[in-house]
């Protein structure tokens, strides 16, 4: 028996969260009004009805459309502070958030506007909730290498505020190899590296992410389980996997939470963590993910302790900061 207060109170880190994916319909409407942007919905219910995607691409089309209401530094600040407050209420003491600069720069929103808004939100959240935050800048893999390099160039003056780079968006047809050079450049600049792989893509994409992108952490990784040698390698290398159960369910990576591989991953000795991915779109924040796994009989109280501990072990906190969290 796992009590809800146990799930809520156990300190945890969230390591797989797209800040644009935390845009709740209510805030989307408020920002659309504030910025006089028209969105193709009449009401919050209308928006929620549109969230009936059943694969990654259908979701991404709606997610990028929703992001169009984000125009000013204040908008990014409001987006970020809403997530930090929600995460803190879930017992999240540390979070490493993804942002997608190209989703905004391709609409004419300057990189600096995004950074100024996020950084002011982070400062406020630290003061209000005592939560610590690191930033991971993701490249959109459906765009080309030149665009990724241009984004990396725009980030130059902000590098001291960015902990790592990531790779997201449409996985199939866009293997990690496409971004080997920009990830090498990011590594040379002292940045950590993560990549979405094995969400919809084959196990070979996970191998590429390890060998060609030199990742420090694997986002999703579900399909790695199809390859026993790869699974053993991930366990041996103590690679952290950022697993997102409700996302997997919504995007039909799993057909039912009863069939979610989290317990097989734990049994294989993988360093699994639980995360919400895009909580405004997938029906829940981090604790909703834990609750859903408990309800499906997938994780025990001991597993939750392991998963929470893994979230700190897999974080990019420096040892002196990590020591204050565990
Ligand atoms: N997968 C890939 N790209 C994304 C996701 C995801 O779950 N969420 C936001 N961008
Ligand atoms: Zn993701």
């Amino acid at each position: 028996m796992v009590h809800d207060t146990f799930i809520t109170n156990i300190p945890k880190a969230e390591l797989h969260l797209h800040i644009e994916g935390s845009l709740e319909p209510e805030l989307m409407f408020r920002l659309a009004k504030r910025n006089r942007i028209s969105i193709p919905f009449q009401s919050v219910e209308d928006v929620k009805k549109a969230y009936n995607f059943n694969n990654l691409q259908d979701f991404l089309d709606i997610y990028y459309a929703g992001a169009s209401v984000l125009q000013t530094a204040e908008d990014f600040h409001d987006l970020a502070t809403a997530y930090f407050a929600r995460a803190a209420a879930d017992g999240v003491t540390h979070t490493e958030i993804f942002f997608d600069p190209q989703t905004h720069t391709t609409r004419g929103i300057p990189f600096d506007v995004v950074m100024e808004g996020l950084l002011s939100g982070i400062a406020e959240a630290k003061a209000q909730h005592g939560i610590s935050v690191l930033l991971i800048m993701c490249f959109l893999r459906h765009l080309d290498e030149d665009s990724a390099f241009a984004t990396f160039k725009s980030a130059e003056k902000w590098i001291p505020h960015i902990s790592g780079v990531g790779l997201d968006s449409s996985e199939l047809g866009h293997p990690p190899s496409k971004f080997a050079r920009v990830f090498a450049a990011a590594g040379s600049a002292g940045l950590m590296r993560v990549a979405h792989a094995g969400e919809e893509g084959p196990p070979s994409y996970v191998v590429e992410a390890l060998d060609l992108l030199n990742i420090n952490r694997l986002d999703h990784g579900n399909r790695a389980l199809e390859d026993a040698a790869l699974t053993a390698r991930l366990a041996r290398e103590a690679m952290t996997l950022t697993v997102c159960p409700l996302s997997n369910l919504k995007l039909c990576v799993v057909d039912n939470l009863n069939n979610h591989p989290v317990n097989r991953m734990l049994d294989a000795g993988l360093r699994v963590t639980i995360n919400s991915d895009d909580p405004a779109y997938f029906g829940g924040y981090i604790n909703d993910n834990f609750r859903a796994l408990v309800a499906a009989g997938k994780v025990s109280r001991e597993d939750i302790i392991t998963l929470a501990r893994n979230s700190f072990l897999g974080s990019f906190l420096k040892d002196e900061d990590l020591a204050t969290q565990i």
Side-chain angles (χ1 to χ4, degrees), residues 16 18 98 168 196 199 220 244 277-278:
H16 186 150
H18 302 261
F98 298 135
D168 64 2
H196 285 55
E199 181 184 21
H220 295 296
C244 307
D277 207 1
D278 300 282

Side-chain angles (χ1 to χ4, degrees), residues 128-287:
Q128 278 196 355
H129 309 293
I131 193 169
S132 71
V133 183
L134 297 178
L135 278 176
I136 298 177
M137 174 176 83
C138 285
F139 301 116
L140 298 183
R141 66 202 306 158
H142 68 275
L143 300 179
D144 62 18
E145 185 193 35
D146 284 352
S147 177
F149 265 112
T151 304
F152 186 55
K153 181 104 192 77
S154 305
E156 211 164 27
K157 75 173 197 210
W158 299 101
I159 294 281
H161 299 281
I162 296 174
S163 297
V165 292
L167 189 61
D168 64 2
S169 190
S170 325
E171 187 179 5
L172 289 170
H174 302 286
S177 51
K178 192 173 156 186
F179 298 95
R181 288 187 291 203
V182 73
F183 267 62
S188 300
L191 294 173
M192 304 300 266
R193 296 156 309 279
V194 303
H196 285 55
E199 181 184 21
E200 287 190 342
S204 63
Y205 282 23
V206 175
V207 175
E208 282 192 14
L210 293 168
D211 291 340
L212 304 180
L213 304 187
N214 275 309
I215 53 167
N216 306 101
R217 203 160 68 203
L218 172 60
D219 296 317
H220 295 296
N222 300 44
R223 291 197 57 194
L225 292 182
E226 295 169 22
D227 180 332
L230 174 59
T231 304
R233 176 182 176 187
L234 292 169
R236 195 170 59 242
E237 295 180 2
M239 179 60 58
T240 299
L241 272 67
T242 62
V243 172
C244 307
L246 289 175
S247 163
N248 292 161
L249 184 64
K250 274 278 185 186
L251 300 184
C252 301
V253 170
V254 297
D255 60 353
N256 189 310
L257 278 189
N258 296 315
N259 297 327
H260 196 278
V262 61
N263 45 352
R264 281 196 287 138
M265 290 170 163
L266 287 167
D267 288 347
L270 298 176
R271 191 189 270 175
V272 183
T273 65
I274 299 301
N275 307 272
S276 66
D277 207 1
D278 300 282
Y281 292 87
F282 298 151
Y285 286 78
I286 190 166
N287 287 356

Side-chain angles (χ1 to χ4, degrees), residues 86-107:
R86 189 65 187 71
D90 271 3
V92 171
T93 57
H94 173 69
T95 180
E96 304 190 354
I97 65 170
F98 298 135
F99 68 110
D100 287 340
Q102 289 151 299
T103 297
H104 314 299
T105 53
T106 54
R107 304 183 283 117

